[in-house]
Amino acid sequence: MDSNSNETRSRTERSPSGWGITRRTMLAAGGAAVLGGLAGCSAVDGLIDRGAQQLVGTTASAPAAFYPGQAPPNQGPDSDGDGLAFSLAGTTEVRAVPATVRADSREIDLEGWSTSAQQKARGPGYRRKALAGRPPRNRPRTQSADDDTDTETADDDALREYLENEPTIGERFVVCLPDAKLPGDRGSLAEQLTLDRVLAYFAPSREPDGVRAPFHDQYGSQGIEYDDDGCIRTVGSVSLHEDLACQNILSAELDTYRTAGRGIVGHGMEGAAVVSGAPISAGTIGTRVFLTTDGTGEIILGEDRDMVMPGDNVEYDNGGSGSQTLVCPVAVTPVDAPTALPGLFYVRRVIHDDQIILAGGWILDEGALFEESVTLLFDEGLTEVASVTPDDIESDEYGDRIVEQFVRDRSRLGSLVGTTLAESTEMNNAELIEQMASQAFQTDEGRKGLNAVNVKVLGERGDDDDDDDGSDEIWLSATALDAPLVHLAGAQELSEEEKFEAAGSGEEVDILGMGAEKL
C-alpha cells in the first residue's frame, strides 16, 4: 500500500496542517457526542461515481465511535475513597481518512473516517494508587559510584511526577472504510486488512536501525515495509491514508520492539474470556493472542497460522460480523510522558452496514508498571453496534435510542475504564468484576480462572510480601474488549449537503448531549 498516493484530495482535507484534517475536535467525554456533532460529514467531494461503485461495490462510509458509557451513580472520576471509580474518555477527534483503489488505469476514492479518544487517569482513586507507596516496577535506575546500592534517576522522578498528575492510561480508535471489492479477483479490502496488517499500521517494531513489521514479521504481515519516515510503503492496488500509513491516528507512539520479557496470560470459558500482561516467565500464552467472538471464550496462540489467514473465523449475526480480537504487549509513549510505558494493544474488525470497522486501542499495563496491580481486559463475544440517524442525534432521547439497541447489560458501561482496590487475587465479590465482566466470571470456574491470571501477573502471594499488616490488597483496573460502538446509518443515502447540515454549528457538545448530571 502506497502512503503517498493521496496527495491530491477533496477540499474537505486541505488545511495548513496538511494530511488528515480534523473536521471537529469535540470537547466531549466520548465518541457518541462526536457523532452527534459530526453526523456523516463527507470526506470526498462530488457525486458518487456510479461506474466506480460497479467496480468495487461500495465507496461510501460514515463515522463510528466507541460508546463512551455511563458510570453508575457516585462512581465517576470524581469519586472519593478507595472504592470503585470509572474513568471517562476525554476529547474525541474525528478525521477524514479516505483510501484509494487502483483499477483499470483509474483511481477510485473510498470514503474513510477515524475517531480517537484519550483516557486520562482522573480522580482520587487513581491518584491514591500512584501515591500508595508502591514503586513502579522496573523503573529506570543507575548504579551508585560510591557503593553498589541502587539510586533513583531523574527519569524515575519524572515518571513518578507524570503518574501522579492525570497520566494518559489508554486510548481508543475506530476506523471506518467501505467494504469494497478489489478488481481483478483480488478479494476484498476486508481480506487485505487482516488483524496482523492492522497491527502494523498502529504498532510497528521501532528498532535501532529502522522501523520493521511487528515482531520481526514472523507472523506474516504480508510483506509490509516502512520508508525512512516510518510510513508503510507496500506496493499494491490499495492505498490507505497517510494518517494510517504513518501511525498518526493515535496521539501516543506505539512500539512492539521494546516488549522483551512480556507476554499475554488469560482464561477463557463458555461465554467469556479475560486477558492481561505478565512476565514471560509466568507461563504466558504467547506474545500475541487472538480471542474468538463465537461465545466459546477460546484464546488462541498467535503462532497458529490458521488464525491469521484472511476471512477465517468470522462470525455473522443480523448482517454484521466480527473477527477475532488481537491482543499483544506494546511500549507506549503518550505525548506528555517522559518515557515509554508498558501497554496492551487490542483490535478487532467488524463488518457493519457494508463497511469495515476497525475498533481497538491500548491501555496501560499496570501490572508491568506498579507493584500489586493488575489490568484486566474482558470479552464476551461480538461487538454490539448501535446505528443512529441524524434524527436520532437531534432527539432529546438520543442516549436512550443508543442504549435500547444493546442486549448486554454491561454494554451500558461502554468504553469506561474502572479501577478499585480488591481484597485479594481471588477478588470474591469484587464490585468491578460484577459490573465489568460477564456473568460467567461470577461462577466458581470464573473466579478460579481470574485468580490464576492474577497470580501469573503478580506472582504467588506471600512469597515476597513484606507488608507488616499482612495486607492482601491489590489495585485492579479493567475495561471491555467488546465495548459497543455507535455508527451513523445511511452512508449511501445521505448527500454531502445533508451530512454537512447534520454536522451542526460546531458548538461544544457534552456526552450524548445530556449534560454531566445525566451520567
Side-chain angles (χ1 to χ4, degrees):
M1 295 183 181
D2 181 6
S3 65
N4 298 316
S5 65
N6 286 310
E7 293 181 350
T8 56
R9 281 293 174 264
S10 66
R11 60 177 174 82
T12 58
E13 291 184 76
R14 295 176 189 140
S15 73
S17 61
W19 290 96
I21 182 172
T22 300
R23 180 73 177 98
R24 272 174 81 192
T25 299
M26 301 299 298
L27 300 178
V34 171
L35 288 183
L38 232 197
C41 303
S42 177
V44 181
D45 280 339
L47 298 174
I48 293 176
D49 186 331
R50 296 185 183 275
Q53 271 199 321
Q54 291 177 353
L55 279 174
V56 299
T58 178
T59 60
S61 67
F66 277 100
Y67 174 62
Q70 299 183 35
N74 302 318
Q75 293 178 344
D78 295 327
S79 299
D80 199 0
D82 292 335
L84 174 60
F86 287 97
S87 175
L88 296 168
T91 301
T92 298
E93 187 174 53
V94 180
R95 305 181 186 209
V97 289
T100 299
V101 173
R102 288 180 291 278
D104 297 337
S105 300
R106 63 181 299 184
E107 291 189 351
I108 300 172
D109 289 329
L110 304 179
E111 188 176 8
W113 291 95
S114 75
T115 61
S116 61
Q118 293 182 9
Q119 204 98 27
K120 290 283 189 176
R122 295 185 175 93
Y126 281 106
R127 181 169 176 79
R128 202 187 310 275
K129 176 159 53 177
L131 297 174
R134 302 184 181 93
R137 292 181 186 266
N138 302 322
R139 62 188 182 187
R141 307 186 75 91
T142 59
Q143 197 75 14
S144 170
D146 298 328
D147 54 38
D148 291 333
T149 60
D150 288 337
T151 57
E152 294 185 3
T153 66
D155 287 344
D156 191 14
D157 293 337
L159 176 59
R160 187 184 298 276
E161 181 180 359
Y162 172 75
L163 294 173
E164 292 174 358
N165 290 279
E166 297 191 357
T168 302
I169 59 169
E171 199 169 3
R172 288 187 186 257
F173 68 85
V174 180
V175 175
C176 295
L177 293 164
D179 187 18
K181 299 179 297 183
L182 300 182
D185 296 325
R186 284 174 287 184
S188 67
L189 182 58
E191 289 176 335
Q192 285 211 6
L193 291 175
T194 63
L195 297 183
D196 283 296
R197 291 183 70 89
V198 176
L199 174 63
Y201 278 96
F202 285 89
S205 180
R206 302 181 187 277
E207 302 175 24
D209 59 345
V211 179
R212 292 184 172 82
F215 304 112
H216 302 278
D217 203 21
Q218 62 178 311
Y219 300 118
S221 299
Q222 300 178 350
I224 282 183
E225 295 181 355
Y226 298 82
D227 62 22
D228 293 339
D229 295 323
C231 299
I232 288 178
R233 61 180 181 186
T234 304
V235 177
S237 60
V238 179
S239 297
L240 297 188
H241 193 274
E242 186 181 36
D243 280 345
L244 281 164
C246 299
Q247 306 100 51
N248 292 332
I249 299 298
L250 298 176
S251 63
E253 180 183 270
L254 274 58
D255 177 20
T256 48
Y257 179 69
R258 291 172 289 175
T259 57
R262 299 294 292 177
I264 302 298
V265 295
H267 177 74
M269 56 188 171
E270 188 70 26
V274 62
V275 292
S276 186
I280 292 292
S281 59
T284 53
I285 301 172
T287 55
R288 169 179 151 283
V289 301
F290 292 94
L291 284 69
T292 62
T293 55
D294 57 5
T296 63
E298 188 175 8
I299 304 173
I300 301 177
L301 181 65
E303 281 77 359
D304 185 343
R305 296 300 302 157
D306 291 339
M307 292 301 296
V308 297
M309 296 301 291
D312 278 359
N313 298 286
V314 175
E315 296 293 327
Y316 292 88
D317 182 18
N318 296 325
S321 73
S323 69
Q324 318 90 350
T325 301
L326 183 154
V327 182
C328 68
V330 290
V332 182
T333 308
V335 291
D336 54 349
T339 185
L341 303 171
L344 297 170
F345 178 83
Y346 53 91
V347 65
R348 67 171 49 177
R349 187 186 65 214
V350 177
I351 306 297
H352 183 260
D353 196 20
D354 293 327
Q355 295 165 60
I356 305 165
I357 302 177
L358 305 172
W362 65 269
I363 187 170
L364 189 66
D365 183 2
E366 298 187 18
L369 189 63
F370 294 110
E371 298 287 348
E372 313 301 340
S373 299
V374 178
T375 296
L376 298 175
L377 307 180
F378 288 102
D379 187 70
E380 190 172 348
L382 289 170
T383 298
E384 295 194 290
V385 183
S387 295
V388 297
T389 66
D391 289 341
D392 292 329
I393 293 168
E394 295 297 326
S395 170
D396 292 337
E397 300 175 345
Y398 179 38
D400 292 336
R401 294 186 183 186
I402 292 175
V403 173
E404 68 185 9
Q405 298 182 55
F406 299 149
V407 175
R408 305 181 190 122
D409 288 340
R410 54 190 282 272
S411 288
R412 294 173 179 267
L413 295 177
S415 58
L416 294 174
V417 174
T419 186
T420 192
L421 190 63
E423 291 300 324
S424 70
T425 55
E426 295 181 6
M427 297 183 296
N428 291 325
N429 301 317
E431 188 178 3
L432 180 59
I433 304 304
E434 293 176 353
Q435 295 201 31
M436 186 67 71
S438 72
Q439 290 298 315
F441 283 106
Q442 316 306 322
T443 65
D444 288 342
E445 179 187 354
R447 285 190 289 269
K448 290 179 181 177
L450 275 175
N451 184 53
V453 170
N454 291 332
V455 167
K456 289 182 178 180
V457 175
L458 299 168
E460 292 289 347
R461 302 289 290 175
D463 291 351
D464 299 311
D465 190 355
D466 297 325
D467 290 346
D468 294 335
D469 60 2
S471 173
D472 199 26
E473 294 179 334
I474 62 171
W475 279 101
L476 176 68
S477 292
T479 194
L481 291 173
D482 56 353
L485 304 174
V486 181
H487 191 197
L488 183 71
Q492 296 279 6
E493 292 78 17
L494 293 175
S495 69
E496 179 179 351
E497 182 178 352
E498 290 170 330
K499 292 178 181 180
F500 273 107
E501 183 178 352
S505 59
E507 70 276 9
E508 294 182 10
V509 179
D510 55 24
I511 182 173
L512 300 178
M514 291 182 176
E517 71 278 2
K518 297 292 185 69
L519 296 179

